[in-house]
mmCIF file with all atom_site columns, all heavy atoms in Angstrom:
data_model
loop_
_atom_site.group_PDB
_atom_site.id
_atom_site.type_symbol
_atom_site.label_atom_id
_atom_site.label_alt_id
_atom_site.label_comp_id
_atom_site.label_asym_id
_atom_site.label_entity_id
_atom_site.label_seq_id
_atom_site.pdbx_PDB_ins_code
_atom_site.Cartn_x
_atom_site.Cartn_y
_atom_site.Cartn_z
_atom_site.occupancy
_atom_site.B_iso_or_equiv
_atom_site.pdbx_formal_charge
_atom_site.auth_seq_id
_atom_site.auth_comp_id
_atom_site.auth_asym_id
_atom_site.auth_atom_id
_atom_site.pdbx_PDB_model_num
ATOM 1   N N   . VAL D 1 439 ? -3.169  78.409  3.724  1.00 95.00 ? 439 VAL D N   1
ATOM 2   C CA  . VAL D 1 439 ? -4.186  79.296  3.168  1.00 95.00 ? 439 VAL D CA  1
ATOM 3   C C   . VAL D 1 439 ? -4.470  80.402  4.182  1.00 95.00 ? 439 VAL D C   1
ATOM 4   O O   . VAL D 1 439 ? -5.059  80.160  5.239  1.00 95.00 ? 439 VAL D O   1
ATOM 5   C CB  . VAL D 1 439 ? -5.472  78.536  2.810  1.00 95.00 ? 439 VAL D CB  1
ATOM 6   C CG1 . VAL D 1 439 ? -6.535  79.507  2.300  1.00 95.00 ? 439 VAL D CG1 1
ATOM 7   C CG2 . VAL D 1 439 ? -5.186  77.443  1.801  1.00 95.00 ? 439 VAL D CG2 1
ATOM 8   N N   . ARG D 1 440 ? -4.035  81.634  3.879  1.00 94.00 ? 440 ARG D N   1
ATOM 9   C CA  . ARG D 1 440 ? -4.171  82.770  4.785  1.00 94.00 ? 440 ARG D CA  1
ATOM 10  C C   . ARG D 1 440 ? -5.073  83.830  4.143  1.00 94.00 ? 440 ARG D C   1
ATOM 11  O O   . ARG D 1 440 ? -5.073  84.006  2.912  1.00 94.00 ? 440 ARG D O   1
ATOM 12  C CB  . ARG D 1 440 ? -2.804  83.379  5.080  1.00 94.00 ? 440 ARG D CB  1
ATOM 13  C CG  . ARG D 1 440 ? -1.785  82.371  5.560  1.00 94.00 ? 440 ARG D CG  1
ATOM 14  C CD  . ARG D 1 440 ? -1.925  82.058  7.035  1.00 94.00 ? 440 ARG D CD  1
ATOM 15  N NE  . ARG D 1 440 ? -1.028  81.021  7.499  1.00 94.00 ? 440 ARG D NE  1
ATOM 16  C CZ  . ARG D 1 440 ? -0.609  80.905  8.762  1.00 94.00 ? 440 ARG D CZ  1
ATOM 17  N NH1 . ARG D 1 440 ? -1.026  81.785  9.671  1.00 94.00 ? 440 ARG D NH1 1
ATOM 18  N NH2 . ARG D 1 440 ? 0.198   79.934  9.114  1.00 94.00 ? 440 ARG D NH2 1
ATOM 19  N N   . CYS D 1 441 ? -5.775  84.529  5.000  1.00 93.00 ? 441 CYS D N   1
ATOM 20  C CA  . CYS D 1 441 ? -6.731  85.517  4.499  1.00 93.00 ? 441 CYS D CA  1
ATOM 21  C C   . CYS D 1 441 ? -6.195  86.949  4.519  1.00 93.00 ? 441 CYS D C   1
ATOM 22  O O   . CYS D 1 441 ? -6.955  87.894  4.281  1.00 93.00 ? 441 CYS D O   1
ATOM 23  C CB  . CYS D 1 441 ? -8.022  85.438  5.319  1.00 93.00 ? 441 CYS D CB  1
ATOM 24  S SG  . CYS D 1 441 ? -9.032  83.999  4.820  1.00 93.00 ? 441 CYS D SG  1
ATOM 25  N N   . SER D 1 442 ? -4.921  87.184  4.841  1.00 94.00 ? 442 SER D N   1
ATOM 26  C CA  . SER D 1 442 ? -4.298  88.492  4.712  1.00 94.00 ? 442 SER D CA  1
ATOM 27  C C   . SER D 1 442 ? -2.819  88.280  4.441  1.00 94.00 ? 442 SER D C   1
ATOM 28  O O   . SER D 1 442 ? -2.281  87.191  4.703  1.00 94.00 ? 442 SER D O   1
ATOM 29  C CB  . SER D 1 442 ? -4.493  89.333  5.976  1.00 94.00 ? 442 SER D CB  1
ATOM 30  O OG  . SER D 1 442 ? -3.757  88.787  7.062  1.00 94.00 ? 442 SER D OG  1
ATOM 31  N N   . PRO D 1 443 ? -2.109  89.293  3.935  1.00 94.00 ? 443 PRO D N   1
ATOM 32  C CA  . PRO D 1 443 ? -0.722  89.086  3.520  1.00 94.00 ? 443 PRO D CA  1
ATOM 33  C C   . PRO D 1 443 ? 0.278   88.946  4.671  1.00 94.00 ? 443 PRO D C   1
ATOM 34  O O   . PRO D 1 443 ? 1.404   88.508  4.463  1.00 94.00 ? 443 PRO D O   1
ATOM 35  C CB  . PRO D 1 443 ? -0.412  90.334  2.685  1.00 94.00 ? 443 PRO D CB  1
ATOM 36  C CG  . PRO D 1 443 ? -1.360  91.373  3.213  1.00 94.00 ? 443 PRO D CG  1
ATOM 37  C CD  . PRO D 1 443 ? -2.600  90.648  3.581  1.00 94.00 ? 443 PRO D CD  1
ATOM 38  N N   . GLY D 1 444 ? -0.097  89.321  5.919  1.00 93.00 ? 444 GLY D N   1
ATOM 39  C CA  . GLY D 1 444 ? 0.867   89.299  7.011  1.00 93.00 ? 444 GLY D CA  1
ATOM 40  C C   . GLY D 1 444 ? 1.631   90.606  7.081  1.00 93.00 ? 444 GLY D C   1
ATOM 41  O O   . GLY D 1 444 ? 1.431   91.535  6.280  1.00 93.00 ? 444 GLY D O   1
ATOM 42  N N   . TYR D 1 445 ? 2.545   90.703  8.046  1.00 93.00 ? 445 TYR D N   1
ATOM 43  C CA  . TYR D 1 445 ? 3.297   91.955  8.213  1.00 93.00 ? 445 TYR D CA  1
ATOM 44  C C   . TYR D 1 445 ? 4.615   91.610  8.906  1.00 93.00 ? 445 TYR D C   1
ATOM 45  O O   . TYR D 1 445 ? 4.811   90.538  9.480  1.00 93.00 ? 445 TYR D O   1
ATOM 46  C CB  . TYR D 1 445 ? 2.480   92.944  9.040  1.00 93.00 ? 445 TYR D CB  1
ATOM 47  C CG  . TYR D 1 445 ? 2.040   92.404  10.368 1.00 93.00 ? 445 TYR D CG  1
ATOM 48  C CD1 . TYR D 1 445 ? 2.829   92.573  11.525 1.00 93.00 ? 445 TYR D CD1 1
ATOM 49  C CD2 . TYR D 1 445 ? 0.837   91.697  10.487 1.00 93.00 ? 445 TYR D CD2 1
ATOM 50  C CE1 . TYR D 1 445 ? 2.436   92.061  12.754 1.00 93.00 ? 445 TYR D CE1 1
ATOM 51  C CE2 . TYR D 1 445 ? 0.431   91.181  11.728 1.00 93.00 ? 445 TYR D CE2 1
ATOM 52  C CZ  . TYR D 1 445 ? 1.235   91.369  12.851 1.00 93.00 ? 445 TYR D CZ  1
ATOM 53  O OH  . TYR D 1 445 ? 0.856   90.859  14.055 1.00 93.00 ? 445 TYR D OH  1
ATOM 54  N N   . TYR D 1 446 ? 5.535   92.600  8.864  1.00 91.00 ? 446 TYR D N   1
ATOM 55  C CA  . TYR D 1 446 ? 6.841   92.427  9.476  1.00 91.00 ? 446 TYR D CA  1
ATOM 56  C C   . TYR D 1 446 ? 6.896   93.183  10.816 1.00 91.00 ? 446 TYR D C   1
ATOM 57  O O   . TYR D 1 446 ? 6.362   94.292  10.963 1.00 91.00 ? 446 TYR D O   1
ATOM 58  C CB  . TYR D 1 446 ? 7.938   92.952  8.552  1.00 91.00 ? 446 TYR D CB  1
ATOM 59  C CG  . TYR D 1 446 ? 8.220   92.021  7.386  1.00 91.00 ? 446 TYR D CG  1
ATOM 60  C CD1 . TYR D 1 446 ? 7.574   92.196  6.173  1.00 91.00 ? 446 TYR D CD1 1
ATOM 61  C CD2 . TYR D 1 446 ? 9.141   90.985  7.532  1.00 91.00 ? 446 TYR D CD2 1
ATOM 62  C CE1 . TYR D 1 446 ? 7.836   91.358  5.122  1.00 91.00 ? 446 TYR D CE1 1
ATOM 63  C CE2 . TYR D 1 446 ? 9.399   90.133  6.473  1.00 91.00 ? 446 TYR D CE2 1
ATOM 64  C CZ  . TYR D 1 446 ? 8.742   90.319  5.277  1.00 91.00 ? 446 TYR D CZ  1
ATOM 65  O OH  . TYR D 1 446 ? 9.008   89.471  4.223  1.00 91.00 ? 446 TYR D OH  1
ATOM 66  N N   . THR D 1 447 ? 7.597   92.589  11.766 1.00 91.00 ? 447 THR D N   1
ATOM 67  C CA  . THR D 1 447 ? 7.914   93.232  13.056 1.00 91.00 ? 447 THR D CA  1
ATOM 68  C C   . THR D 1 447 ? 9.422   93.124  13.273 1.00 91.00 ? 447 THR D C   1
ATOM 69  O O   . THR D 1 447 ? 10.143  92.562  12.449 1.00 91.00 ? 447 THR D O   1
ATOM 70  C CB  . THR D 1 447 ? 7.173   92.527  14.201 1.00 91.00 ? 447 THR D CB  1
ATOM 71  O OG1 . THR D 1 447 ? 7.690   91.210  14.361 1.00 91.00 ? 447 THR D OG1 1
ATOM 72  C CG2 . THR D 1 447 ? 5.663   92.452  13.934 1.00 91.00 ? 447 THR D CG2 1
ATOM 73  N N   . ARG D 1 448 ? 9.849   93.687  14.381 1.00 88.00 ? 448 ARG D N   1
ATOM 74  C CA  . ARG D 1 448 ? 11.265  93.572  14.694 1.00 88.00 ? 448 ARG D CA  1
ATOM 75  C C   . ARG D 1 448 ? 11.698  92.115  14.862 1.00 88.00 ? 448 ARG D C   1
ATOM 76  O O   . ARG D 1 448 ? 12.860  91.777  14.649 1.00 88.00 ? 448 ARG D O   1
ATOM 77  C CB  . ARG D 1 448 ? 11.592  94.366  15.956 1.00 88.00 ? 448 ARG D CB  1
ATOM 78  C CG  . ARG D 1 448 ? 11.435  95.870  15.807 1.00 88.00 ? 448 ARG D CG  1
ATOM 79  C CD  . ARG D 1 448 ? 11.825  96.586  17.092 1.00 88.00 ? 448 ARG D CD  1
ATOM 80  N NE  . ARG D 1 448 ? 11.677  98.044  16.944 1.00 88.00 ? 448 ARG D NE  1
ATOM 81  C CZ  . ARG D 1 448 ? 11.970  98.907  17.912 1.00 88.00 ? 448 ARG D CZ  1
ATOM 82  N NH1 . ARG D 1 448 ? 12.404  98.447  19.100 1.00 88.00 ? 448 ARG D NH1 1
ATOM 83  N NH2 . ARG D 1 448 ? 11.828  100.198 17.691 1.00 88.00 ? 448 ARG D NH2 1
ATOM 84  N N   . SER D 1 449 ? 10.761  91.319  15.269 1.00 88.00 ? 449 SER D N   1
ATOM 85  C CA  . SER D 1 449 ? 11.093  89.899  15.491 1.00 88.00 ? 449 SER D CA  1
ATOM 86  C C   . SER D 1 449 ? 11.065  89.098  14.202 1.00 88.00 ? 449 SER D C   1
ATOM 87  O O   . SER D 1 449 ? 11.478  87.947  14.177 1.00 88.00 ? 449 SER D O   1
ATOM 88  C CB  . SER D 1 449 ? 10.092  89.295  16.495 1.00 88.00 ? 449 SER D CB  1
ATOM 89  O OG  . SER D 1 449 ? 10.136  89.992  17.713 1.00 88.00 ? 449 SER D OG  1
ATOM 90  N N   . GLY D 1 450 ? 10.534  89.690  13.136 1.00 89.00 ? 450 GLY D N   1
ATOM 91  C CA  . GLY D 1 450 ? 10.460  88.973  11.866 1.00 89.00 ? 450 GLY D CA  1
ATOM 92  C C   . GLY D 1 450 ? 9.084   89.074  11.238 1.00 89.00 ? 450 GLY D C   1
ATOM 93  O O   . GLY D 1 450 ? 8.254   89.927  11.608 1.00 89.00 ? 450 GLY D O   1
ATOM 94  N N   . PHE D 1 451 ? 8.818   88.181  10.306 1.00 93.00 ? 451 PHE D N   1
ATOM 95  C CA  . PHE D 1 451 ? 7.554   88.200  9.546  1.00 93.00 ? 451 PHE D CA  1
ATOM 96  C C   . PHE D 1 451 ? 6.472   87.473  10.318 1.00 93.00 ? 451 PHE D C   1
ATOM 97  O O   . PHE D 1 451 ? 6.663   86.366  10.816 1.00 93.00 ? 451 PHE D O   1
ATOM 98  C CB  . PHE D 1 451 ? 7.751   87.538  8.174  1.00 93.00 ? 451 PHE D CB  1
ATOM 99  C CG  . PHE D 1 451 ? 6.499   87.494  7.364  1.00 93.00 ? 451 PHE D CG  1
ATOM 100 C CD1 . PHE D 1 451 ? 5.999   88.646  6.756  1.00 93.00 ? 451 PHE D CD1 1
ATOM 101 C CD2 . PHE D 1 451 ? 5.780   86.315  7.224  1.00 93.00 ? 451 PHE D CD2 1
ATOM 102 C CE1 . PHE D 1 451 ? 4.849   88.616  6.003  1.00 93.00 ? 451 PHE D CE1 1
ATOM 103 C CE2 . PHE D 1 451 ? 4.615   86.282  6.476  1.00 93.00 ? 451 PHE D CE2 1
ATOM 104 C CZ  . PHE D 1 451 ? 4.157   87.428  5.861  1.00 93.00 ? 451 PHE D CZ  1
ATOM 105 N N   . VAL D 1 452 ? 5.287   88.103  10.357 1.00 93.00 ? 452 VAL D N   1
ATOM 106 C CA  . VAL D 1 452 ? 4.125   87.489  10.992 1.00 93.00 ? 452 VAL D CA  1
ATOM 107 C C   . VAL D 1 452 ? 3.093   87.204  9.909  1.00 93.00 ? 452 VAL D C   1
ATOM 108 O O   . VAL D 1 452 ? 2.563   88.144  9.288  1.00 93.00 ? 452 VAL D O   1
ATOM 109 C CB  . VAL D 1 452 ? 3.522   88.422  12.072 1.00 93.00 ? 452 VAL D CB  1
ATOM 110 C CG1 . VAL D 1 452 ? 2.273   87.769  12.672 1.00 93.00 ? 452 VAL D CG1 1
ATOM 111 C CG2 . VAL D 1 452 ? 4.533   88.755  13.123 1.00 93.00 ? 452 VAL D CG2 1
ATOM 112 N N   . PRO D 1 453 ? 2.830   85.919  9.612  1.00 94.00 ? 453 PRO D N   1
ATOM 113 C CA  . PRO D 1 453 ? 1.863   85.598  8.537  1.00 94.00 ? 453 PRO D CA  1
ATOM 114 C C   . PRO D 1 453 ? 0.460   86.025  8.920  1.00 94.00 ? 453 PRO D C   1
ATOM 115 O O   . PRO D 1 453 ? 0.125   86.196  10.111 1.00 94.00 ? 453 PRO D O   1
ATOM 116 C CB  . PRO D 1 453 ? 1.975   84.083  8.406  1.00 94.00 ? 453 PRO D CB  1
ATOM 117 C CG  . PRO D 1 453 ? 2.503   83.617  9.737  1.00 94.00 ? 453 PRO D CG  1
ATOM 118 C CD  . PRO D 1 453 ? 3.388   84.722  10.251 1.00 94.00 ? 453 PRO D CD  1
ATOM 119 N N   . GLY D 1 454 ? -0.382  86.172  7.902  1.00 94.00 ? 454 GLY D N   1
ATOM 120 C CA  . GLY D 1 454 ? -1.766  86.514  8.132  1.00 94.00 ? 454 GLY D CA  1
ATOM 121 C C   . GLY D 1 454 ? -2.512  85.373  8.801  1.00 94.00 ? 454 GLY D C   1
ATOM 122 O O   . GLY D 1 454 ? -2.037  84.236  8.889  1.00 94.00 ? 454 GLY D O   1
ATOM 123 N N   . PRO D 1 455 ? -3.738  85.646  9.262  1.00 94.00 ? 455 PRO D N   1
ATOM 124 C CA  . PRO D 1 455 ? -4.524  84.613  9.932  1.00 94.00 ? 455 PRO D CA  1
ATOM 125 C C   . PRO D 1 455 ? -4.959  83.516  8.973  1.00 94.00 ? 455 PRO D C   1
ATOM 126 O O   . PRO D 1 455 ? -5.212  83.752  7.796  1.00 94.00 ? 455 PRO D O   1
ATOM 127 C CB  . PRO D 1 455 ? -5.720  85.383  10.481 1.00 94.00 ? 455 PRO D CB  1
ATOM 128 C CG  . PRO D 1 455 ? -5.851  86.550  9.563  1.00 94.00 ? 455 PRO D CG  1
ATOM 129 C CD  . PRO D 1 455 ? -4.458  86.934  9.162  1.00 94.00 ? 455 PRO D CD  1
ATOM 130 N N   . ILE D 1 456 ? -5.070  82.306  9.521  1.00 94.00 ? 456 ILE D N   1
ATOM 131 C CA  . ILE D 1 456 ? -5.570  81.163  8.732  1.00 94.00 ? 456 ILE D CA  1
ATOM 132 C C   . ILE D 1 456 ? -7.036  81.399  8.409  1.00 94.00 ? 456 ILE D C   1
ATOM 133 O O   . ILE D 1 456 ? -7.830  81.802  9.277  1.00 94.00 ? 456 ILE D O   1
ATOM 134 C CB  . ILE D 1 456 ? -5.395  79.853  9.522  1.00 94.00 ? 456 ILE D CB  1
ATOM 135 C CG1 . ILE D 1 456 ? -3.917  79.546  9.744  1.00 94.00 ? 456 ILE D CG1 1
ATOM 136 C CG2 . ILE D 1 456 ? -6.080  78.698  8.809  1.00 94.00 ? 456 ILE D CG2 1
ATOM 137 C CD1 . ILE D 1 456 ? -3.632  78.329  10.595 1.00 94.00 ? 456 ILE D CD1 1
ATOM 138 N N   . CYS D 1 457 ? -7.397  81.145  7.140  1.00 93.00 ? 457 CYS D N   1
ATOM 139 C CA  . CYS D 1 457 ? -8.786  81.363  6.707  1.00 93.00 ? 457 CYS D CA  1
ATOM 140 C C   . CYS D 1 457 ? -9.726  80.360  7.382  1.00 93.00 ? 457 CYS D C   1
ATOM 141 O O   . CYS D 1 457 ? -9.472  79.150  7.383  1.00 93.00 ? 457 CYS D O   1
ATOM 142 C CB  . CYS D 1 457 ? -8.923  81.228  5.204  1.00 93.00 ? 457 CYS D CB  1
ATOM 143 S SG  . CYS D 1 457 ? -8.067  82.514  4.267  1.00 93.00 ? 457 CYS D SG  1
ATOM 144 N N   . ARG D 1 458 ? -10.807 80.867  7.987  1.00 92.00 ? 458 ARG D N   1
ATOM 145 C CA  . ARG D 1 458 ? -11.832 80.024  8.560  1.00 92.00 ? 458 ARG D CA  1
ATOM 146 C C   . ARG D 1 458 ? -13.176 80.485  7.970  1.00 92.00 ? 458 ARG D C   1
ATOM 147 O O   . ARG D 1 458 ? -13.405 81.673  7.779  1.00 92.00 ? 458 ARG D O   1
ATOM 148 C CB  . ARG D 1 458 ? -11.824 80.110  10.081 1.00 92.00 ? 458 ARG D CB  1
ATOM 149 C CG  . ARG D 1 458 ? -10.516 79.611  10.675 1.00 92.00 ? 458 ARG D CG  1
ATOM 150 C CD  . ARG D 1 458 ? -10.583 79.474  12.197 1.00 92.00 ? 458 ARG D CD  1
ATOM 151 N NE  . ARG D 1 458 ? -9.297  79.067  12.708 1.00 92.00 ? 458 ARG D NE  1
ATOM 152 C CZ  . ARG D 1 458 ? -8.839  77.803  12.720 1.00 92.00 ? 458 ARG D CZ  1
ATOM 153 N NH1 . ARG D 1 458 ? -9.590  76.843  12.221 1.00 92.00 ? 458 ARG D NH1 1
ATOM 154 N NH2 . ARG D 1 458 ? -7.648  77.525  13.215 1.00 92.00 ? 458 ARG D NH2 1
ATOM 155 N N   . TYR D 1 459 ? -14.058 79.521  7.727  1.00 92.00 ? 459 TYR D N   1
ATOM 156 C CA  . TYR D 1 459 ? -15.250 79.810  6.944  1.00 92.00 ? 459 TYR D CA  1
ATOM 157 C C   . TYR D 1 459 ? -16.502 79.709  7.804  1.00 92.00 ? 459 TYR D C   1
ATOM 158 O O   . TYR D 1 459 ? -16.663 78.781  8.631  1.00 92.00 ? 459 TYR D O   1
ATOM 159 C CB  . TYR D 1 459 ? -15.353 78.873  5.752  1.00 92.00 ? 459 TYR D CB  1
ATOM 160 C CG  . TYR D 1 459 ? -14.040 78.776  4.990  1.00 92.00 ? 459 TYR D CG  1
ATOM 161 C CD1 . TYR D 1 459 ? -13.312 77.603  4.962  1.00 92.00 ? 459 TYR D CD1 1
ATOM 162 C CD2 . TYR D 1 459 ? -13.510 79.894  4.350  1.00 92.00 ? 459 TYR D CD2 1
ATOM 163 C CE1 . TYR D 1 459 ? -12.099 77.524  4.299  1.00 92.00 ? 459 TYR D CE1 1
ATOM 164 C CE2 . TYR D 1 459 ? -12.305 79.833  3.701  1.00 92.00 ? 459 TYR D CE2 1
ATOM 165 C CZ  . TYR D 1 459 ? -11.605 78.645  3.676  1.00 92.00 ? 459 TYR D CZ  1
ATOM 166 O OH  . TYR D 1 459 ? -10.403 78.577  3.034  1.00 92.00 ? 459 TYR D OH  1
ATOM 167 N N   . ASP D 1 460 ? -17.388 80.634  7.570  1.00 91.00 ? 460 ASP D N   1
ATOM 168 C CA  . ASP D 1 460 ? -18.672 80.671  8.266  1.00 91.00 ? 460 ASP D CA  1
ATOM 169 C C   . ASP D 1 460 ? -19.704 80.028  7.347  1.00 91.00 ? 460 ASP D C   1
ATOM 170 O O   . ASP D 1 460 ? -20.277 80.678  6.460  1.00 91.00 ? 460 ASP D O   1
ATOM 171 C CB  . ASP D 1 460 ? -19.046 82.112  8.588  1.00 91.00 ? 460 ASP D CB  1
ATOM 172 C CG  . ASP D 1 460 ? -20.327 82.189  9.425  1.00 91.00 ? 460 ASP D CG  1
ATOM 173 O OD1 . ASP D 1 460 ? -20.959 81.139  9.647  1.00 91.00 ? 460 ASP D OD1 1
ATOM 174 O OD2 . ASP D 1 460 ? -20.694 83.322  9.846  1.00 91.00 ? 460 ASP D OD2 1
ATOM 175 N N   . TRP D 1 461 ? -19.960 78.726  7.541  1.00 94.00 ? 461 TRP D N   1
ATOM 176 C CA  . TRP D 1 461 ? -20.863 78.013  6.641  1.00 94.00 ? 461 TRP D CA  1
ATOM 177 C C   . TRP D 1 461 ? -22.314 78.494  6.794  1.00 94.00 ? 461 TRP D C   1
ATOM 178 O O   . TRP D 1 461 ? -23.121 78.319  5.879  1.00 94.00 ? 461 TRP D O   1
ATOM 179 C CB  . TRP D 1 461 ? -20.781 76.505  6.912  1.00 94.00 ? 461 TRP D CB  1
ATOM 180 C CG  . TRP D 1 461 ? -19.487 75.865  6.537  1.00 94.00 ? 461 TRP D CG  1
ATOM 181 C CD1 . TRP D 1 461 ? -18.691 75.109  7.338  1.00 94.00 ? 461 TRP D CD1 1
ATOM 182 C CD2 . TRP D 1 461 ? -18.830 75.928  5.261  1.00 94.00 ? 461 TRP D CD2 1
ATOM 183 N NE1 . TRP D 1 461 ? -17.573 74.678  6.649  1.00 94.00 ? 461 TRP D NE1 1
ATOM 184 C CE2 . TRP D 1 461 ? -17.633 75.170  5.366  1.00 94.00 ? 461 TRP D CE2 1
ATOM 185 C CE3 . TRP D 1 461 ? -19.110 76.559  4.058  1.00 94.00 ? 461 TRP D CE3 1
ATOM 186 C CZ2 . TRP D 1 461 ? -16.726 75.024  4.317  1.00 94.00 ? 461 TRP D CZ2 1
ATOM 187 C CZ3 . TRP D 1 461 ? -18.226 76.384  2.992  1.00 94.00 ? 461 TRP D CZ3 1
ATOM 188 C CH2 . TRP D 1 461 ? -17.045 75.649  3.122  1.00 94.00 ? 461 TRP D CH2 1
ATOM 189 N N   . GLU D 1 462 ? -22.636 79.082  7.954  1.00 93.00 ? 462 GLU D N   1
ATOM 190 C CA  . GLU D 1 462 ? -24.006 79.548  8.129  1.00 93.00 ? 462 GLU D CA  1
ATOM 191 C C   . GLU D 1 462 ? -24.373 80.603  7.087  1.00 93.00 ? 462 GLU D C   1
ATOM 192 O O   . GLU D 1 462 ? -25.495 80.647  6.597  1.00 93.00 ? 462 GLU D O   1
ATOM 193 C CB  . GLU D 1 462 ? -24.191 80.129  9.542  1.00 93.00 ? 462 GLU D CB  1
ATOM 194 C CG  . GLU D 1 462 ? -24.180 79.092  10.652 1.00 93.00 ? 462 GLU D CG  1
ATOM 195 C CD  . GLU D 1 462 ? -25.319 78.104  10.512 1.00 93.00 ? 462 GLU D CD  1
ATOM 196 O OE1 . GLU D 1 462 ? -26.408 78.522  10.057 1.00 93.00 ? 462 GLU D OE1 1
ATOM 197 O OE2 . GLU D 1 462 ? -25.132 76.925  10.859 1.00 93.00 ? 462 GLU D OE2 1
#
Side-chain angles (χ1 to χ4, degrees):
V439 177
R440 308 280 176 154
C441 283
S442 69
Y445 55 91
Y446 285 93
T447 67
R448 293 182 179 181
S449 301
F451 178 74
V452 178
I456 296 175
C457 293
R458 298 190 183 278
Y459 312 113
D460 185 355
W461 292 126
E462 289 298 326

